[in-house]
Amino acid sequence: MPGGGQGAGIGLVLGGLLSQELGAAVATSLFPRAGAAGIVTLRLVLSAVLLLAVCRPRVRGYRHADWAVVVGFGAALAGMNFLFYQSIARIPLGTAVTFEVLGPLVLSVVLARCAASWLWAGLALAGVVLLSRGGFDRLDPAGVAFALGAAALWAAYILMSARAGARFPRTDGLALALAMAVAAAMSLPLGVLDAGGALLDPVTLGLGAVVAILSSALPYTLELVALRRVTASVFGVVSTLAPVVAVAAGYLVLGQVLTLVDIGAITLVVAATAGAVLTARR
């Protein structure tokens, strides 16, 4: 794209990360209003409405195999978000994101199939051990379990996204819009069961729209533009800063303060993930 260099692309990636983590922090502050399941439902439903309105995907002309991929993509998206929101309801945002990025890290290590990848895995393991010093009960076992479940589904989301990209090769968000609609439909029963009429509260709806924009619409747009200006490897390395940005968002919005040891552990995981991205095969 004329007029935009790699520096601008990196700035766009960082802007997308900041928007996403601020959205998660705002969502956490809304849990007392409608519960974690209710807020994630609001986010997915409103995000689906936004994406469908912008992308206006057609729903005819696809084969059953195409729809199977979309449903799998949407299921991974719904599960990843649901488990992540359950996690940040119990443990600090920065810590939850650190555990969550282990999913893409493990996927990179498995796909790389080289000796160096195990070095990054060991470095990440050291960070996790340091982060959980004294036992996972220091953090809340359920919160850690939900974050690790979100990590596994993030890896599944990446794989399903690649399959969807092969079947829906357009770059206008077609597959994501359809998958987001599937995720919204899957999450709706849980959200209604958890929050009930609180989902229709005007204030909650308004703030839910803010979460949807910050967590989905704006980051996706910034990342789509960024990928036209930077290479995939640069994008991947910059994206590994998500835990650091999450720590900052948790501190600024929620007042969550981590110890120096926690920050050191997060740094180890970030370094391991960046190394895995740099050495991974295409």
Side-chain angles (χ1 to χ4, degrees):
M1 295 179 62
Q6 181 165 280
I10 291 174
L12 289 169
V13 179
L14 290 173
L17 288 178
L18 180 60
S19 177
Q20 190 169 40
E21 301 308 336
L22 284 175
V26 172
T28 303
S29 68
L30 295 179
F31 289 166
R33 285 183 168 272
I39 296 302
V40 77
T41 295
L42 272 183
R43 171 191 166 177
L44 292 175
V45 169
L46 295 174
S47 296
V49 170
L50 286 171
L51 283 174
L52 290 173
V54 172
C55 298
R56 291 178 290 180
R58 61 184 178 87
V59 295
R60 296 180 180 179
Y62 300 120
R63 295 173 296 177
H64 291 299
D66 296 331
W67 282 112
V69 170
V70 168
V71 171
F73 191 11
L77 182 61
M80 178 180 68
N81 280 278
F82 178 81
L83 292 178
F84 178 68
Y85 273 47
Q86 292 294 327
S87 175
I88 60 177
R90 295 168 172 82
I91 61 177
L93 177 60
T95 304
V97 174
T98 301
F99 282 118
E100 191 187 29
V101 298
L102 293 178
L105 171 62
V106 170
L107 183 63
S108 294
V109 169
V110 171
L111 296 179
R113 298 178 182 177
C114 63
S117 64
W118 295 103
L119 170 65
W120 308 124
L123 189 63
L125 180 61
V128 169
V129 171
L130 190 61
L131 193 62
S132 60
R133 67 195 186 286
F136 283 122
D137 55 339
R138 180 183 73 89
L139 292 173
D140 184 290
V144 173
F146 282 126
L148 293 175
L153 285 175
W154 193 357
Y157 168 86
I158 292 171
L159 294 174
M160 294 305 302
S161 177
R163 293 187 62 185
R167 289 182 174 271
F168 303 86
R170 294 165 61 188
T171 58
D172 59 359
L174 172 65
L176 181 60
L178 293 173
M180 190 70 76
V182 171
M186 289 181 172
S187 69
L188 193 57
L190 290 174
V192 172
L193 186 64
D194 185 44
L199 293 176
L200 300 178
D201 176 71
V203 175
T204 303
L205 276 173
L207 293 173
V210 171
V211 170
I213 293 171
L214 287 175
S215 298
S216 298
L218 183 56
Y220 171 72
T221 302
L222 293 176
E223 289 170 3
L224 187 63
V225 176
L227 282 168
R228 298 173 183 173
R229 305 187 181 204
V230 299
T231 63
S233 60
V234 170
F235 178 89
V237 172
V238 177
S239 295
T240 63
L241 294 175
V244 177
V245 178
V247 169
Y251 174 74
L252 292 173
V253 179
L254 304 172
Q256 296 175 345
V257 179
L258 300 179
T259 67
L260 290 176
V261 176
D262 292 332
I263 294 174
I266 291 171
T267 301
L268 287 177
V269 175
V270 168
T273 308
V277 169
L278 286 173
T279 57
R281 294 181 179 178
R282 183 173 179 83

Tab-separated table of all heavy atoms in Angstrom, residues 37-49 51-52 67-83 153 157 174-192 216:
chain	number	residue	atom	x	y	z
A	37	ALA	N	-20.458	-15.336	31.237
A	37	ALA	CA	-21.123	-15.938	30.073
A	37	ALA	C	-22.021	-14.926	29.372
A	37	ALA	O	-22.116	-14.905	28.137
A	37	ALA	CB	-21.934	-17.157	30.501
A	38	GLY	N	-22.696	-14.083	30.148
A	38	GLY	CA	-23.561	-13.066	29.551
A	38	GLY	C	-22.782	-12.046	28.744
A	38	GLY	O	-23.176	-11.669	27.632
A	39	ILE	N	-21.644	-11.603	29.275
A	39	ILE	CA	-20.848	-10.593	28.577
A	39	ILE	C	-20.208	-11.164	27.323
A	39	ILE	O	-20.163	-10.503	26.281
A	39	ILE	CB	-19.774	-10.010	29.516
A	39	ILE	CG1	-20.448	-9.272	30.692
A	39	ILE	CG2	-18.865	-9.059	28.764
A	39	ILE	CD1	-21.385	-8.151	30.273
A	40	VAL	N	-19.716	-12.398	27.384
A	40	VAL	CA	-19.121	-12.971	26.177
A	40	VAL	C	-20.187	-13.189	25.105
A	40	VAL	O	-19.924	-13.039	23.907
A	40	VAL	CB	-18.373	-14.290	26.494
A	40	VAL	CG1	-19.324	-15.449	26.690
A	40	VAL	CG2	-17.401	-14.636	25.367
A	41	THR	N	-21.410	-13.491	25.529
A	41	THR	CA	-22.500	-13.617	24.565
A	41	THR	C	-22.798	-12.277	23.899
A	41	THR	O	-22.959	-12.200	22.672
A	41	THR	CB	-23.762	-14.155	25.245
A	41	THR	OG1	-23.511	-15.486	25.707
A	41	THR	CG2	-24.942	-14.180	24.289
A	42	LEU	N	-22.851	-11.221	24.709
A	42	LEU	CA	-23.065	-9.886	24.141
A	42	LEU	C	-21.968	-9.547	23.146
A	42	LEU	O	-22.237	-9.026	22.049
A	42	LEU	CB	-23.093	-8.836	25.255
A	42	LEU	CG	-24.424	-8.543	25.930
A	42	LEU	CD1	-24.257	-7.425	26.941
A	42	LEU	CD2	-25.493	-8.181	24.906
A	43	ARG	N	-20.725	-9.836	23.522
A	43	ARG	CA	-19.612	-9.528	22.628
A	43	ARG	C	-19.750	-10.272	21.303
A	43	ARG	O	-19.621	-9.679	20.229
A	43	ARG	CB	-18.284	-9.896	23.285
A	43	ARG	CG	-17.122	-9.785	22.311
A	43	ARG	CD	-15.840	-10.377	22.837
A	43	ARG	NE	-14.880	-10.531	21.754
A	43	ARG	CZ	-13.645	-10.978	21.912
A	43	ARG	NH1	-13.216	-11.320	23.107
A	43	ARG	NH2	-12.828	-11.100	20.871
A	44	LEU	N	-20.017	-11.567	21.354
A	44	LEU	CA	-20.080	-12.359	20.134
A	44	LEU	C	-21.283	-11.974	19.268
A	44	LEU	O	-21.168	-11.881	18.046
A	44	LEU	CB	-20.124	-13.845	20.478
A	44	LEU	CG	-18.838	-14.425	21.090
A	44	LEU	CD1	-19.044	-15.872	21.513
A	44	LEU	CD2	-17.672	-14.310	20.121
A	45	VAL	N	-22.433	-11.772	19.904
A	45	VAL	CA	-23.634	-11.414	19.139
A	45	VAL	C	-23.456	-10.066	18.452
A	45	VAL	O	-23.730	-9.911	17.251
A	45	VAL	CB	-24.872	-11.416	20.053
A	45	VAL	CG1	-26.068	-10.792	19.332
A	45	VAL	CG2	-25.209	-12.832	20.503
A	46	LEU	N	-23.005	-9.069	19.212
A	46	LEU	CA	-22.843	-7.738	18.634
A	46	LEU	C	-21.713	-7.709	17.605
A	46	LEU	O	-21.808	-7.013	16.589
A	46	LEU	CB	-22.593	-6.716	19.748
A	46	LEU	CG	-23.772	-6.519	20.711
A	46	LEU	CD1	-23.388	-5.603	21.862
A	46	LEU	CD2	-24.981	-5.950	19.974
A	47	SER	N	-20.653	-8.483	17.848
A	47	SER	CA	-19.571	-8.571	16.863
A	47	SER	C	-20.066	-9.214	15.576
A	47	SER	O	-19.697	-8.791	14.463
A	47	SER	CB	-18.399	-9.378	17.427
A	47	SER	OG	-17.823	-8.747	18.546
A	48	ALA	N	-20.890	-10.250	15.717
A	48	ALA	CA	-21.447	-10.908	14.540
A	48	ALA	C	-22.308	-9.944	13.732
A	48	ALA	O	-22.234	-9.910	12.492
A	48	ALA	CB	-22.260	-12.129	14.956
A	49	VAL	N	-23.122	-9.161	14.427
A	49	VAL	CA	-23.969	-8.188	13.735
A	49	VAL	C	-23.103	-7.184	12.962
A	49	VAL	O	-23.384	-6.856	11.795
A	49	VAL	CB	-24.875	-7.458	14.742
A	49	VAL	CG1	-25.592	-6.275	14.076
A	49	VAL	CG2	-25.898	-8.421	15.331
A	51	LEU	N	-19.916	-7.542	11.869
A	51	LEU	CA	-19.206	-8.173	10.758
A	51	LEU	C	-20.141	-8.536	9.610
A	51	LEU	O	-19.799	-8.371	8.437
A	51	LEU	CB	-18.471	-9.423	11.255
A	51	LEU	CG	-17.181	-9.164	12.031
A	51	LEU	CD1	-16.627	-10.469	12.582
A	51	LEU	CD2	-16.141	-8.487	11.146
A	52	LEU	N	-21.336	-9.036	9.952
A	52	LEU	CA	-22.289	-9.387	8.896
A	52	LEU	C	-22.749	-8.143	8.145
A	52	LEU	O	-22.953	-8.180	6.930
A	52	LEU	CB	-23.486	-10.121	9.501
A	52	LEU	CG	-23.214	-11.535	10.032
A	52	LEU	CD1	-24.440	-12.071	10.761
A	52	LEU	CD2	-22.816	-12.470	8.894
A	67	TRP	N	-19.558	-25.652	4.896
A	67	TRP	CA	-20.300	-25.292	6.103
A	67	TRP	C	-19.753	-26.019	7.333
A	67	TRP	O	-19.773	-25.484	8.443
A	67	TRP	CB	-21.786	-25.588	5.922
A	67	TRP	CG	-22.483	-24.549	5.108
A	67	TRP	CD1	-23.013	-24.682	3.862
A	67	TRP	CD2	-22.713	-23.184	5.491
A	67	TRP	NE1	-23.553	-23.497	3.435
A	67	TRP	CE2	-23.400	-22.562	4.417
A	67	TRP	CE3	-22.415	-22.436	6.621
A	67	TRP	CZ2	-23.769	-21.220	4.450
A	67	TRP	CZ3	-22.796	-21.095	6.657
A	67	TRP	CH2	-23.459	-20.510	5.584
A	68	ALA	N	-19.254	-27.238	7.132
A	68	ALA	CA	-18.650	-27.966	8.249
A	68	ALA	C	-17.433	-27.224	8.783
A	68	ALA	O	-17.215	-27.140	10.003
A	68	ALA	CB	-18.264	-29.383	7.819
A	69	VAL	N	-16.640	-26.660	7.878
A	69	VAL	CA	-15.474	-25.877	8.293
A	69	VAL	C	-15.908	-24.617	9.023
A	69	VAL	O	-15.339	-24.249	10.065
A	69	VAL	CB	-14.603	-25.523	7.071
A	69	VAL	CG1	-13.521	-24.514	7.453
A	69	VAL	CG2	-13.964	-26.773	6.501
A	70	VAL	N	-16.931	-23.943	8.518
A	70	VAL	CA	-17.431	-22.721	9.166
A	70	VAL	C	-17.938	-23.025	10.570
A	70	VAL	O	-17.663	-22.287	11.522
A	70	VAL	CB	-18.542	-22.076	8.315
A	70	VAL	CG1	-19.269	-20.989	9.111
A	70	VAL	CG2	-17.956	-21.481	7.044
A	71	VAL	N	-18.683	-24.128	10.711
A	71	VAL	CA	-19.211	-24.495	12.028
A	71	VAL	C	-18.069	-24.829	12.986
A	71	VAL	O	-18.077	-24.417	14.154
A	71	VAL	CB	-20.186	-25.687	11.906
A	71	VAL	CG1	-20.555	-26.222	13.288
A	71	VAL	CG2	-21.445	-25.256	11.164
A	72	GLY	N	-17.062	-25.565	12.503
A	72	GLY	CA	-15.912	-25.863	13.348
A	72	GLY	C	-15.151	-24.615	13.733
A	72	GLY	O	-14.714	-24.464	14.888
A	73	PHE	N	-14.998	-23.700	12.794
A	73	PHE	CA	-14.345	-22.414	13.038
A	73	PHE	C	-15.120	-21.635	14.105
A	73	PHE	O	-14.541	-21.098	15.062
A	73	PHE	CB	-14.290	-21.647	11.719
A	73	PHE	CG	-13.431	-20.419	11.716
A	73	PHE	CD1	-12.565	-20.122	12.757
A	73	PHE	CD2	-13.483	-19.535	10.643
A	73	PHE	CE1	-11.774	-18.982	12.727
A	73	PHE	CE2	-12.704	-18.399	10.597
A	73	PHE	CZ	-11.851	-18.121	11.652
A	74	GLY	N	-16.437	-21.586	13.952
A	74	GLY	CA	-17.272	-20.860	14.911
A	74	GLY	C	-17.267	-21.507	16.284
A	74	GLY	O	-17.255	-20.812	17.310
A	75	ALA	N	-17.256	-22.847	16.334
A	75	ALA	CA	-17.227	-23.549	17.620
A	75	ALA	C	-15.931	-23.259	18.365
A	75	ALA	O	-15.927	-23.033	19.589
A	75	ALA	CB	-17.384	-25.053	17.400
A	76	ALA	N	-14.798	-23.249	17.641
A	76	ALA	CA	-13.510	-22.927	18.268
A	76	ALA	C	-13.518	-21.492	18.776
A	76	ALA	O	-13.032	-21.209	19.885
A	76	ALA	CB	-12.380	-23.137	17.270
A	77	LEU	N	-14.090	-20.587	17.998
A	77	LEU	CA	-14.164	-19.180	18.386
A	77	LEU	C	-15.027	-18.997	19.633
A	77	LEU	O	-14.644	-18.280	20.569
A	77	LEU	CB	-14.729	-18.366	17.218
A	77	LEU	CG	-14.848	-16.853	17.393
A	77	LEU	CD1	-13.483	-16.239	17.630
A	77	LEU	CD2	-15.487	-16.234	16.149
A	78	ALA	N	-16.191	-19.645	19.656
A	78	ALA	CA	-17.088	-19.528	20.811
A	78	ALA	C	-16.448	-20.119	22.063
A	78	ALA	O	-16.464	-19.500	23.137
A	78	ALA	CB	-18.414	-20.225	20.510
A	79	GLY	N	-15.886	-21.319	21.939
A	79	GLY	CA	-15.280	-21.963	23.094
A	79	GLY	C	-14.088	-21.208	23.627
A	79	GLY	O	-13.921	-21.068	24.855
A	80	MET	N	-13.242	-20.698	22.736
A	80	MET	CA	-12.065	-19.943	23.150
A	80	MET	C	-12.467	-18.708	23.947
A	80	MET	O	-11.919	-18.429	25.019
A	80	MET	CB	-11.261	-19.536	21.913
A	80	MET	CG	-10.028	-18.712	22.208
A	80	MET	SD	-9.137	-18.276	20.690
A	80	MET	CE	-10.307	-17.147	19.916
A	81	ASN	N	-13.443	-17.966	23.448
A	81	ASN	CA	-13.883	-16.764	24.145
A	81	ASN	C	-14.576	-17.076	25.462
A	81	ASN	O	-14.360	-16.394	26.467
A	81	ASN	CB	-14.815	-15.951	23.239
A	81	ASN	CG	-14.060	-15.128	22.217
A	81	ASN	OD1	-13.575	-14.044	22.507
A	81	ASN	ND2	-13.939	-15.645	21.017
A	82	PHE	N	-15.418	-18.101	25.464
A	82	PHE	CA	-16.131	-18.457	26.696
A	82	PHE	C	-15.142	-18.845	27.795
A	82	PHE	O	-15.239	-18.367	28.932
A	82	PHE	CB	-17.094	-19.615	26.416
A	82	PHE	CG	-17.832	-20.083	27.644
A	82	PHE	CD1	-18.958	-19.402	28.098
A	82	PHE	CD2	-17.405	-21.200	28.349
A	82	PHE	CE1	-19.629	-19.827	29.232
A	82	PHE	CE2	-18.068	-21.625	29.480
A	82	PHE	CZ	-19.195	-20.933	29.915
A	83	LEU	N	-14.186	-19.713	27.479
A	83	LEU	CA	-13.219	-20.155	28.489
A	83	LEU	C	-12.319	-19.003	28.936
A	83	LEU	O	-11.982	-18.891	30.118
A	83	LEU	CB	-12.376	-21.304	27.942
A	83	LEU	CG	-13.128	-22.615	27.704
A	83	LEU	CD1	-12.190	-23.659	27.106
A	83	LEU	CD2	-13.750	-23.138	28.986
A	153	LEU	N	-8.021	-24.220	22.620
A	153	LEU	CA	-8.987	-23.831	21.592
A	153	LEU	C	-8.437	-22.732	20.685
A	153	LEU	O	-8.870	-22.606	19.536
A	153	LEU	CB	-10.297	-23.393	22.246
A	153	LEU	CG	-11.138	-24.547	22.779
A	153	LEU	CD1	-12.363	-24.034	23.522
A	153	LEU	CD2	-11.579	-25.464	21.641
A	157	TYR	N	-8.483	-22.882	16.853
A	157	TYR	CA	-8.973	-21.739	16.083
A	157	TYR	C	-8.020	-21.416	14.938
A	157	TYR	O	-8.450	-21.133	13.809
A	157	TYR	CB	-9.116	-20.537	17.024
A	157	TYR	CG	-9.349	-19.209	16.343
A	157	TYR	CD1	-10.635	-18.803	15.997
A	157	TYR	CD2	-8.296	-18.355	16.049
A	157	TYR	CE1	-10.858	-17.582	15.368
A	157	TYR	CE2	-8.501	-17.137	15.431
A	157	TYR	CZ	-9.781	-16.757	15.096
A	157	TYR	OH	-9.996	-15.556	14.477
A	174	LEU	N	-15.018	-12.705	5.051
A	174	LEU	CA	-16.181	-13.547	4.781
A	174	LEU	C	-16.271	-14.727	5.745
A	174	LEU	O	-17.290	-14.924	6.409
A	174	LEU	CB	-16.114	-14.054	3.337
A	174	LEU	CG	-17.146	-15.113	2.926
A	174	LEU	CD1	-18.544	-14.524	2.982
A	174	LEU	CD2	-16.840	-15.640	1.527
A	175	ALA	N	-15.200	-15.520	5.843
A	175	ALA	CA	-15.224	-16.706	6.699
A	175	ALA	C	-15.386	-16.325	8.157
A	175	ALA	O	-16.127	-16.974	8.912
A	175	ALA	CB	-13.943	-17.524	6.498
A	176	LEU	N	-14.704	-15.253	8.584
A	176	LEU	CA	-14.798	-14.829	9.978
A	176	LEU	C	-16.202	-14.356	10.313
A	176	LEU	O	-16.713	-14.621	11.398
A	176	LEU	CB	-13.776	-13.733	10.265
A	176	LEU	CG	-13.743	-13.217	11.705
A	176	LEU	CD1	-13.417	-14.336	12.687
A	176	LEU	CD2	-12.737	-12.085	11.855
A	177	ALA	N	-16.836	-13.646	9.387
A	177	ALA	CA	-18.194	-13.163	9.631
A	177	ALA	C	-19.154	-14.333	9.825
A	177	ALA	O	-19.985	-14.335	10.746
A	177	ALA	CB	-18.651	-12.280	8.471
A	178	LEU	N	-19.050	-15.338	8.967
A	178	LEU	CA	-19.914	-16.510	9.097
A	178	LEU	C	-19.613	-17.273	10.385
A	178	LEU	O	-20.521	-17.718	11.099
A	178	LEU	CB	-19.736	-17.424	7.886
A	178	LEU	CG	-20.226	-16.868	6.538
A	178	LEU	CD1	-19.834	-17.809	5.404
A	178	LEU	CD2	-21.732	-16.657	6.568
A	179	ALA	N	-18.309	-17.420	10.706
A	179	ALA	CA	-17.928	-18.133	11.926
A	179	ALA	C	-18.382	-17.375	13.166
A	179	ALA	O	-18.814	-17.986	14.160
A	179	ALA	CB	-16.414	-18.328	11.966
A	180	MET	N	-18.305	-16.050	13.133
A	180	MET	CA	-18.749	-15.254	14.273
A	180	MET	C	-20.251	-15.425	14.493
A	180	MET	O	-20.721	-15.468	15.634
A	180	MET	CB	-18.414	-13.783	14.045
A	180	MET	CG	-18.616	-12.902	15.266
A	180	MET	SD	-17.415	-13.192	16.580
A	180	MET	CE	-15.975	-12.360	15.910
A	181	ALA	N	-21.019	-15.521	13.406
A	181	ALA	CA	-22.460	-15.752	13.530
A	181	ALA	C	-22.734	-17.112	14.171
A	181	ALA	O	-23.621	-17.242	15.023
A	181	ALA	CB	-23.119	-15.664	12.155
A	182	VAL	N	-21.962	-18.126	13.774
A	182	VAL	CA	-22.107	-19.450	14.377
A	182	VAL	C	-21.750	-19.390	15.861
A	182	VAL	O	-22.456	-19.956	16.715
A	182	VAL	CB	-21.216	-20.475	13.643
A	182	VAL	CG1	-21.181	-21.804	14.397
A	182	VAL	CG2	-21.722	-20.692	12.222
A	183	ALA	N	-20.651	-18.710	16.192
A	183	ALA	CA	-20.230	-18.597	17.588
A	183	ALA	C	-21.286	-17.878	18.427
A	183	ALA	O	-21.567	-18.268	19.566
A	183	ALA	CB	-18.899	-17.851	17.664
A	184	ALA	N	-21.876	-16.828	17.857
A	184	ALA	CA	-22.918	-16.091	18.575
A	184	ALA	C	-24.120	-16.985	18.857
A	184	ALA	O	-24.679	-16.979	19.960
A	184	ALA	CB	-23.341	-14.866	17.767
A	185	ALA	N	-24.525	-17.778	17.857
A	185	ALA	CA	-25.672	-18.676	18.038
A	185	ALA	C	-25.374	-19.737	19.096
A	185	ALA	O	-26.252	-20.093	19.898
A	185	ALA	CB	-26.017	-19.337	16.702
A	186	MET	N	-24.141	-20.237	19.126
A	186	MET	CA	-23.770	-21.251	20.114
A	186	MET	C	-23.724	-20.686	21.531
A	186	MET	O	-24.055	-21.377	22.495
A	186	MET	CB	-22.407	-21.854	19.755
A	186	MET	CG	-22.414	-22.747	18.538
A	186	MET	SD	-20.757	-23.429	18.226
A	186	MET	CE	-21.131	-24.619	16.921
A	187	SER	N	-23.291	-19.450	21.662
A	187	SER	CA	-23.136	-18.863	22.996
A	187	SER	C	-24.435	-18.316	23.569
A	187	SER	O	-24.549	-18.141	24.787
A	187	SER	CB	-22.100	-17.733	22.947
A	187	SER	OG	-22.594	-16.622	22.207
A	188	LEU	N	-25.406	-18.042	22.709
A	188	LEU	CA	-26.635	-17.383	23.156
A	188	LEU	C	-27.365	-18.139	24.266
A	188	LEU	O	-27.766	-17.518	25.262
A	188	LEU	CB	-27.555	-17.154	21.959
A	188	LEU	CG	-28.729	-16.203	22.184
A	188	LEU	CD1	-28.235	-14.851	22.653
A	188	LEU	CD2	-29.543	-16.048	20.899
A	189	PRO	N	-27.566	-19.467	24.171
A	189	PRO	CA	-28.268	-20.167	25.271
A	189	PRO	C	-27.551	-20.034	26.606
A	189	PRO	O	-28.196	-19.823	27.637
A	189	PRO	CB	-28.292	-21.621	24.792
A	189	PRO	CG	-28.165	-21.546	23.310
A	189	PRO	CD	-27.269	-20.383	23.056
A	190	LEU	N	-26.222	-20.135	26.611
A	190	LEU	CA	-25.467	-20.013	27.858
A	190	LEU	C	-25.581	-18.600	28.421
A	190	LEU	O	-25.715	-18.410	29.634
A	190	LEU	CB	-23.998	-20.358	27.618
A	190	LEU	CG	-23.679	-21.828	27.330
A	190	LEU	CD1	-22.206	-21.987	26.973
A	190	LEU	CD2	-24.019	-22.688	28.537
A	191	GLY	N	-25.514	-17.603	27.537
A	191	GLY	CA	-25.617	-16.228	27.994
A	191	GLY	C	-26.972	-15.914	28.592
A	191	GLY	O	-27.068	-15.260	29.634
A	192	VAL	N	-28.037	-16.379	27.932
A	192	VAL	CA	-29.392	-16.152	28.451
A	192	VAL	C	-29.580	-16.879	29.775
A	192	VAL	O	-30.180	-16.342	30.726
A	192	VAL	CB	-30.438	-16.619	27.419
A	192	VAL	CG1	-31.836	-16.586	28.014
A	192	VAL	CG2	-30.365	-15.742	26.165
A	216	SER	N	-13.234	-7.017	19.006
A	216	SER	CA	-13.371	-7.747	17.744
A	216	SER	C	-13.263	-6.848	16.517
A	216	SER	O	-12.350	-7.012	15.702
A	216	SER	CB	-14.714	-8.492	17.717
A	216	SER	OG	-14.785	-9.455	18.749
